Amino acid sequence: MKLATIDNATRDGQLVVVSTDLRKAVVAAAIAPNLLTVMEDWDRFEPDLQALSARLNAGDAEGAFDFDQSKALAPLPRSFQWIDGSCFKNHLRLMAMATGRDPDIEMNSPYPLMYQGMSDDFHRPQGEIALPREEDQIDFEGEVGIVLSEVPMGTKAADAHRFIRLVLLINDVSCRAFVKREITAGFGWMNAKPSTAFSPVAVTPDELGPAWKNERVHLPLHVSWNGTLFGKPNGSEMSFSFGELIEHAAHTRKLAAGTLLGSGTISNRNHSEVGSACIAERRSIENLEEGGARTDFMTFGDRIRMEMFDADGASIFGAIDQTVVQYKP
Amino acid sequence: MKLATIDNATRDGQLVVVSTDLRKAVVAAAIAPNLLTVMEDWDRFEPDLQALSARLNAGDAEGAFDFDQSKALAPLPRSFQWIDGSCFKNHLRLMAMATGRDPDIEMNSPYPLMYQGMSDDFHRPQGEIALPREEDQIDFEGEVGIVLSEVPMGTKAADAHRFIRLVLLINDVSCRAFVKREITAGFGWMNAKPSTAFSPVAVTPDELGPAWKNERVHLPLHVSWNGTLFGKPNGSEMSFSFGELIEHAAHTRKLAAGTLLGSGTISNRNHSEVGSACIAERRSIENLEEGGARTDFMTFGDRIRMEMFDADGASIFGAIDQTVVQYKP
């Protein structure tokens, strides 16, 4: 089942069911007003949504219309919690080495690295990233993520799969100029992490077929910057499973229904073949291999696109496709 | 005007207006369903709430009932954003010195220290703090905080007062055993910060009279642990104003309506006279002055109470009064 949210002038948007090929959609208003409500009572709403999805895919859903990714909001335009891991240790190693931090702190840690993000306002998948200054070093970060129903405090990794309802793509927009100050203070990201973007469509794990394995997404994420492929690293090398991330996050708290949980920047050991999913990692590689960073951060007008394809080359989640612009008050 | 939220079996609770003396309340359902809705359109709802408040304080509100603090939920039982400063530099200096970190990093920083907290599930003011293990080093942190209407990205401190709608008290519950690992990783708090508690009542700044000055609360917070006064530090020594905190938080993002923003642990230079608002700070002082920490962290069954009084000795916000218990799945 594939779900999306379109604008209906409410803060949480209108839930729609999207066909597997992303061509058609149908409003799910008769079932639930929005996806946040669905997440809060998944077991109650899922059968009706699945039935509507089956009718839509059979070409048999009344009121079906052409799905326009460019008009979609984030599947959850806002949520009560957004937590992002940084769970590709290859990425952590490269970033630490390039910034003079001790890579062993994270490489040897049995705990996943994770931050609490702002969840009050997510970007639409295709539209503008408005930020005040180019000198804040605007970067993209390509990730995969999950949407959870309510996770009780103390949930263990082995049980966590029960709460994973949806999978989606993430552009974790970052302002790198603030990273050093904020990571040194140790309190996490405030200026360095503006609003985040999610793919137009969130899908139940079964839509990934064999690519959903060990609570990881075993597919490459295609990241293009201004129309040129920047990287296509594979989600399979995630150093912790999503279940392990859930256990870590839920040790001293519950996770509310609708919590979004990200993998962190996808990164592979064979980065010279597959490239990177963020500029900062490429700059780290350039620093290490070429003695200096050549690639600059984003400038106003730049475009970033992220998409993931199935074995037949069909887009699974639709595309994140954003343009960086200067914020005007 | 004083506002509170009572349980009506919805996730956001029922908004009530509370009398200045905290004795009476009246349901505000005819005006707005809950406080989150009010925050999202403050200017629209405020006049009707103020009128109801005036009738209640005149003994003239239909349906008024005895207000029972012990039944209140957090004014916002959940919100889309909770950000907490650590803006009493006296506290930062003591904590850094006791943990071997360089106190100059924060003492000389022109930027307030601040973390993104979990906002999906707040404790009720009077009830249980359920946590899995005493060895996670359970601590309280007494703070003041504000509730905001929507703050545009790029708002400056001088303009920020326009968005400060309500003031309240905070117990920023902490698990100190995780602090060292999480601050070293630099990504902020995950295990170290479970759910937070807020006072039964949130008040408009005018309710504080002259004690609301320079966007700070110039009153002592009375903190009692198991019935014994632990500290009564004054909010006046906050090293940044709430306006300055808003400017910092909003540099690369907007802050959604209903955002809660905390001061951090209240702490004064004359701590030998007024005591502390958290155990970790007292332990730091013991380490520095007595060569070792004598005060242990909380154990199951311990009770923590926080309250602030006006010049006439009347409680302004009602009391946070919580008991730590072992979490049972």
Side-chain angles (χ1 to χ4, degrees):
Chain A
M1 177 169 65
K2 300 193 174 190
L3 301 174
T5 295
I6 60 174
D7 200 346
N8 66 347
T10 68
R11 288 174 186 267
D12 298 304
Q14 172 62 58
L15 177 65
V16 300
V17 175
V18 180
S19 61
T20 298
D21 63 8
L22 306 182
R23 285 171 194 231
K24 293 285 179 184
V26 60
V27 165
I31 300 170
N34 54 59
L35 183 56
L36 194 53
T37 303
V38 169
M39 298 316 301
E40 290 176 347
D41 207 349
W42 180 267
D43 290 339
R44 174 178 152 211
F45 293 114
E46 194 206 5
D48 287 347
L49 291 169
Q50 289 283 10
L52 182 58
S53 170
R55 290 201 300 279
L56 181 67
N57 282 318
D60 206 27
E62 201 181 339
F65 59 92
D66 291 342
F67 179 61
D68 182 354
Q69 292 182 30
S70 73
K71 296 284 196 299
L73 305 181
L76 289 167
R78 60 179 183 173
S79 186
F80 288 97
Q81 186 155 211
W82 152 233
I83 305 171
D84 199 12
S86 184
C87 298
F88 288 81
K89 290 206 171 186
N90 184 65
H91 174 73
L92 292 174
R93 183 178 60 80
L94 291 167
M95 296 291 284
M97 286 169 67
T99 57
R101 286 171 65 86
D102 179 1
D104 285 346
I105 292 175
E106 287 308 326
M107 295 310 284
N108 299 333
S109 172
Y111 302 100
L113 194 58
M114 197 177 277
Y115 76 90
Q116 188 85 39
M118 53 167 284
S119 61
D120 60 326
D121 179 35
F122 296 132
H123 285 297
R124 54 171 72 214
Q126 302 192 8
E128 294 180 345
I129 301 171
L131 286 169
R133 307 188 308 190
E134 289 178 343
E135 57 263 44
D136 292 344
Q137 300 182 339
I138 302 162
D139 197 357
F140 48 83
E141 286 192 11
E143 312 187 5
V144 291
I146 55 175
V147 190
L148 299 168
S149 50
E150 183 173 306
V151 177
M153 190 191 302
T155 293
K156 298 300 177 192
D159 297 324
H161 62 92
R162 297 191 290 128
F163 307 105
I164 302 173
R165 303 307 189 180
L166 297 167
V167 182
L168 36 54
L169 305 182
I170 301 170
N171 177 15
D172 181 32
V173 180
S174 296
C175 290
R176 300 291 185 186
F178 305 112
V179 164
K180 187 171 179 191
R181 184 186 83 225
E182 294 191 333
I183 206 168
T184 304
F187 269 44
W189 312 120
M190 186 62 45
N191 297 162
K193 295 287 181 182
S195 288
T196 306
F198 298 87
S199 51
V201 173
V203 311
T204 48
D206 60 288
E207 291 280 349
L208 295 168
W212 177 252
K213 196 167 59 181
N214 305 323
E215 291 159 6
R216 292 165 174 85
V217 178
H218 293 249
L219 286 170
L221 178 69
H222 291 248
V223 178
S224 297
W225 182 13
N226 292 330
T228 303
L229 184 70
F230 187 81
K232 47 175 183 173
N234 195 300
S236 61
E237 287 185 25
M238 198 169 152
S239 307
F240 297 90
S241 71
F242 276 113
E244 290 168 326
L245 299 192
I246 292 168
E247 173 173 331
H248 180 70
H251 178 56
T252 58
R253 52 161 87 179
K254 75 169 193 182
L255 309 177
T259 292
L260 291 143
L261 177 53
S263 67
T265 307
I266 301 178
S267 177
N268 292 164
R269 284 181 294 271
N270 62 339
H271 52 75
S272 56
E273 289 162 49
V274 300
S276 296
C278 72
I279 299 172
E281 182 180 295
R282 179 183 278 190
R283 286 170 58 88
S284 294
I285 294 166
E286 290 168 351
N287 266 314
L288 294 168
E289 295 183 355
E290 302 170 38
R294 291 179 295 103
T295 307
D296 288 331
F297 290 102
M298 300 180 89
T299 55
F300 296 137
D302 277 10
R303 193 165 166 187
I304 178 66
R305 187 178 169 98
M306 299 178 179
E307 199 162 13
M308 196 172 256
F309 303 92
D310 68 14
D312 299 325
S315 180
I316 299 171
F317 305 94
I320 293 172
D321 193 339
Q322 300 177 279
T323 302
V324 177
V325 301
Q326 182 157 31
Y327 173 74
K328 303 266 189 254
Chain B
M1 178 166 66
K2 299 193 175 190
L3 302 174
T5 296
I6 60 175
D7 200 346
N8 66 346
T10 68
R11 289 174 186 265
D12 297 304
Q14 171 62 59
L15 177 65
V16 300
V17 176
V18 180
S19 62
T20 299
D21 63 8
L22 306 182
R23 286 175 192 224
K24 293 285 177 183
V26 59
V27 165
I31 300 170
N34 54 58
L35 182 56
L36 195 53
T37 304
V38 170
M39 299 316 302
E40 289 175 348
D41 207 349
W42 180 266
D43 290 339
R44 174 178 153 210
F45 292 116
E46 194 207 5
D48 288 345
L49 291 171
Q50 289 282 11
L52 182 57
S53 170
R55 290 201 301 279
L56 180 67
N57 282 319
D60 207 27
E62 201 182 338
F65 59 92
D66 292 341
F67 179 61
D68 182 354
Q69 289 182 32
S70 73
K71 296 284 197 298
L73 305 180
L76 290 166
R78 59 179 184 173
S79 186
F80 288 98
Q81 186 153 211
W82 151 233
I83 304 171
D84 199 11
S86 185
C87 297
F88 288 82
K89 290 206 170 185
N90 184 66
H91 173 73
L92 293 173
R93 184 179 58 82
L94 290 167
M95 297 290 284
M97 287 169 67
T99 56
R101 285 169 68 85
D102 179 2
D104 285 346
I105 291 176
E106 287 307 325
M107 295 309 285
N108 299 333
S109 172
Y111 302 100
L113 194 58
M114 198 177 275
Y115 76 90
Q116 189 84 40
M118 53 168 281
S119 63
D120 60 327
D121 178 36
F122 296 132
H123 284 298
R124 54 171 70 211
Q126 303 192 7
E128 294 179 344
I129 301 169
L131 286 170
R133 305 188 309 189
E134 289 178 342
E135 58 263 44
D136 292 345
Q137 301 182 338
I138 302 162
D139 198 357
F140 48 84
E141 286 193 10
E143 312 187 4
V144 291
I146 55 176
V147 190
L148 299 168
S149 49
E150 183 172 306
V151 177
M153 192 191 300
T155 293
K156 298 300 177 192
D159 297 323
H161 62 91
R162 296 190 291 126
F163 308 105
I164 302 174
R165 302 305 189 180
L166 297 168
V167 183
L168 36 54
L169 305 182
I170 301 170
N171 176 15
D172 181 33
V173 179
S174 296
C175 290
R176 300 291 185 186
F178 305 113
V179 164
K180 189 171 179 191
R181 184 185 84 226
E182 295 191 334
I183 206 168
T184 304
F187 270 44
W189 312 120
M190 187 61 46
N191 296 162
K193 296 286 183 184
S195 288
T196 305
F198 298 88
S199 50
V201 172
V203 312
T204 48
D206 61 289
E207 293 279 350
L208 296 168
W212 177 252
K213 198 168 57 182
N214 305 323
E215 291 159 4
R216 292 166 174 85
V217 178
H218 293 250
L219 286 170
L221 178 69
H222 291 250
V223 178
S224 298
W225 182 14
N226 292 330
T228 302
L229 184 70
F230 187 82
K232 46 177 183 175
N234 195 300
S236 61
E237 286 185 24
M238 200 168 150
S239 307
F240 297 90
S241 71
F242 276 113
E244 290 168 327
L245 299 193
I246 291 168
E247 174 174 331
H248 180 70
H251 178 56
T252 58
R253 52 160 88 179
K254 76 168 192 181
L255 309 178
T259 292
L260 290 143
L261 177 53
S263 67
T265 307
I266 300 179
S267 178
N268 293 164
R269 284 182 293 272
N270 63 339
H271 53 75
S272 55
E273 290 161 47
V274 300
S276 296
C278 72
I279 299 172
E281 182 180 295
R282 178 182 278 189
R283 287 170 58 88
S284 295
I285 294 166
E286 290 168 350
N287 266 314
L288 294 168
E289 296 183 355
E290 303 172 37
R294 291 180 295 104
T295 306
D296 287 331
F297 290 102
M298 299 180 90
T299 55
F300 296 138
D302 277 10
R303 193 166 164 185
I304 177 68
R305 186 177 169 98
M306 299 178 180
E307 200 162 13
M308 196 172 256
F309 304 94
D310 68 15
D312 299 325
S315 179
I316 299 171
F317 305 95
I320 293 172
D321 193 338
Q322 300 177 280
T323 302
V324 176
V325 302
Q326 182 157 32
Y327 173 75
K328 303 264 189 259

